[in-house]
Amino acid sequence: MPETSPRPLRADALRNRERLLEAAVQAFSRPGPEVTLDAIAREAGVGIGTLYRHFPTREALVEAAYRNELGKLCDAAPDLLDHLPPDRALRGWMSRFIDYLATKRGMADALRLVIASGANPYAQSRDRLLEALGRLLAAGVAAGTIRADVDAGDVLVNLSGISLAAGERAQADRLLDLLMDGLRHHRAG
Amino acid sequence: MPETSPRPLRADALRNRERLLEAAVQAFSRPGPEVTLDAIAREAGVGIGTLYRHFPTREALVEAAYRNELGKLCDAAPDLLDHLPPDRALRGWMSRFIDYLATKRGMADALRLVIASGANPYAQSRDRLLEALGRLLAAGVAAGTIRADVDAGDVLVNLSGISLAAGERAQADRLLDLLMDGLRHHRAG
DNA sequence: GATGGAAGCGGAGGATCCTCCGCTACGTTC
DNA sequence: GAACGTAGCGGAGGATCCTCCGCTTCCATC
C-alpha cells in the first residue's frame, strides 16, 4: 500500500518536492558523468536536508524522476502485442527495457534496488513493470510459445541482472536470446 | 598481460602488501556490515595512501583477498565432472558460485566489475573462472546436452547478474534453472 | 486576524572515499 | 660502507554522502 496518505503534503513541501524533481530530471539527463545530490538540492533552491526528507535515498529520487518515462515503456507493451506475435513482442519489449536502462546513466544501479525489493514504498514503478511484463508473458503462454511456469517477477529480476552485468549492448542481446530460449515452451532434444 | 613485472617489488613494499591482504581477509570475513578501507589500512599498520597504491580500487583489494578461495571453487569443476553427468555438474557448480558470492558480503558488487572488464589487470581471477566454466560447458557440449554456440564469458556475466539482482536464494535458484534451460540443447516444441 | 503546535526547512558536521605531494628509507653502485 | 637516485610511504585535505536538530512557516482553530 504505497499510496496511503495520512495527511496531504503541506503547500510549501509540495512545491519543494516539485522543484526537486524538476532539477533531478534535468541533472540526470545531462551527459555529465555523475550528479551530486547536493548539486540537485542547490539547483532546486532547497537545502540538502529537504532533498533527503523527500527522497531518503538516491534510488527514491531516481525512481521518481523516471517514473513518467518508465510508464511510457510499460504502455508500449500492449502496442507491441497488437503488432507482433507474443514471443517477438516479449523479446522486443525486453530489448527496449535494456536499452532504456543503458541510456540512463546511474539508473541501472538505482533500479536494481527498486526492482529487488517488493517492500520498497518508493517502488511503485515496479508494479507497472510487473504488469506489462506479465501481460507479455501471458500472451505467449496463451499462444503456446512461452512456458506457463515462469514468474514475471523472476524475469524482471533477470532483466535487471542482465543490464547490470552486461558490458556491451551486443552481450546483453546474447543474454536476452538465452533468456528467451529458457522461457520458450520446448521439449528436451 | 597482467604479469609483466618491470621491477620486483621493494622489500618493504612487499611486506606492506602482505599485511594489507591479511588485514583485508580478516576484515572481510567479520560479520560486520561494512568495512572502511581506512580501517583496513590502520589495522595493517600502514597509511591509507599505501593501501590505495597497492590496490587502487576496492575491487582490486577484494579480488586479491578472495583469490585463493575463488581458486578452490574453480578447482572443484573437474571433480564435479568426475562424479556427475556434465549438465548436472554445470548446474551444481553454478549453484556453488552463487552461494559463494552470497556469503561474501560486498563481494558480489566488487566481482561485478572484476567479471565485467576483461581489461582489468587485477582480474586474473576472471581467467580462472572462465576456464572452469568453459570446461564444464565443453563437457556438456561433448555429451550432447549443452548447446555449442554459447560463450563462457556470457554465461559468467549472466551468473554475476543473477547474483547481483536476485533477492533470495530461492529466486537465484529459479533463475539458474531458467538459464540451464536456455543452455540445453533442445528443439522448439 | 491571532495563536499554538506540528510539519517542514536548512545546513553544520561526522564519516568515508580518494588524491596528491613532500618526506623516508631501500638497495645499488662504487 | 658512503652516498645517491628513486620506489615507496603517510596522512592532510577536498569532495561527497547522509544525519540530526534548532529554527521557520504553515494552517487549523477560535
Side-chain angles (χ1 to χ4, degrees):
Chain A
M1 59 213 81
E3 240 20 57
T4 46
S5 53
R7 209 166 273 262
L9 225 46
R10 224 171 68 178
D12 55 342
L14 200 64
R15 193 164 52 239
N16 281 333
R17 206 189 130 85
E18 292 305 322
R19 279 187 193 157
L20 277 168
L21 268 181
E22 215 169 302
V25 168
Q26 284 229 332
F28 286 143
S29 22
R30 258 194 288 280
E34 267 141 61
V35 197
T36 71
L37 298 185
D38 294 87
I40 291 179
R42 211 177 317 123
E43 196 145 331
V46 306
I48 184 65
T50 300
L51 185 151
Y52 275 96
R53 196 167 330 96
H54 285 291
F55 306 102
T57 65
R58 174 177 278 265
E59 294 78 51
L61 182 57
V62 170
E63 198 268 348
Y66 287 121
R67 194 173 293 165
N68 279 343
E69 285 189 61
L70 220 44
K72 279 187 215 148
L73 183 76
C74 292
D75 292 341
D79 295 348
L80 284 169
L81 278 175
D82 282 347
H83 299 306
L84 294 172
D87 59 338
R88 295 196 48 205
L90 175 61
R91 180 63 175 77
W93 188 83
M94 296 197 306
S95 200
R96 276 209 214 179
F97 184 54
I98 296 290
D99 273 343
Y100 180 70
L101 291 187
T103 52
K104 305 302 176 187
R105 210 51 239 125
M107 175 83 182
D109 270 329
L111 216 69
R112 164 169 52 136
L113 301 186
V114 170
I115 287 176
S117 81
N120 186 337
Y122 300 96
Q124 77 182 62
S125 289
R126 183 176 177 274
D127 293 337
R128 302 204 56 184
L129 287 168
L130 269 186
E131 198 213 317
L133 192 49
R135 198 174 295 198
L136 288 160
L137 286 170
V141 171
T145 45
I146 299 291
R147 307 161 47 164
D149 63 344
V150 176
D151 179 58
D154 285 350
V155 177
L156 189 56
V157 167
N158 209 331
L159 286 178
S160 91
I162 288 175
S163 95
L164 281 168
E168 352 140 275
R169 185 54 224 265
Q171 184 174 55
D173 259 325
R174 292 196 300 276
L175 295 183
L176 283 183
D177 286 335
L178 206 54
L179 173 59
M180 279 301 297
D181 282 341
L183 291 173
R184 285 225 168 75
H185 194 67
H186 56 67
R187 54 183 81 85
Chain B
M1 58 211 81
E3 238 22 57
T4 48
S5 52
R7 208 167 274 264
L9 224 46
R10 223 170 68 179
D12 55 342
L14 200 65
R15 193 166 50 240
N16 283 332
R17 206 188 131 86
E18 291 306 322
R19 280 189 192 154
L20 278 168
L21 269 181
E22 216 170 299
V25 169
Q26 282 229 333
F28 286 144
S29 22
R30 259 195 287 281
E34 266 141 63
V35 197
T36 72
L37 298 185
D38 294 88
I40 291 178
R42 210 177 317 120
E43 196 146 329
V46 307
I48 183 66
T50 300
L51 186 151
Y52 276 98
R53 197 167 328 98
H54 285 291
F55 306 101
T57 65
R58 173 177 276 265
E59 293 79 49
L61 182 57
V62 170
E63 198 268 348
Y66 286 121
R67 193 173 294 164
N68 279 344
E69 285 190 61
L70 219 44
K72 279 187 215 148
L73 183 75
C74 292
D75 291 340
D79 295 347
L80 284 169
L81 278 175
D82 282 348
H83 299 306
L84 294 171
D87 59 337
R88 294 196 50 206
L90 174 60
R91 180 64 175 75
W93 188 85
M94 296 197 308
S95 200
R96 276 209 215 178
F97 184 54
I98 297 290
D99 273 343
Y100 180 69
L101 291 186
T103 51
K104 305 301 175 186
R105 211 50 241 126
M107 175 82 182
D109 270 331
L111 217 69
R112 166 169 51 138
L113 301 186
V114 171
I115 287 175
S117 80
N120 187 337
Y122 301 96
Q124 78 182 61
S125 289
R126 183 177 177 273
D127 293 337
R128 302 204 56 182
L129 286 169
L130 269 187
E131 197 213 317
L133 192 48
R135 197 173 296 197
L136 288 160
L137 287 170
V141 170
T145 45
I146 298 292
R147 310 162 44 165
D149 64 343
V150 176
D151 179 59
D154 285 350
V155 177
L156 188 56
V157 167
N158 209 332
L159 286 177
S160 92
I162 288 176
S163 96
L164 281 168
E168 352 141 275
R169 184 54 224 264
Q171 183 174 55
D173 260 327
R174 293 196 299 277
L175 296 182
L176 283 183
D177 286 336
L178 206 53
L179 173 58
M180 279 302 297
D181 282 341
L183 291 174
R184 287 223 168 74
H185 194 66
H186 56 68
R187 54 183 82 85

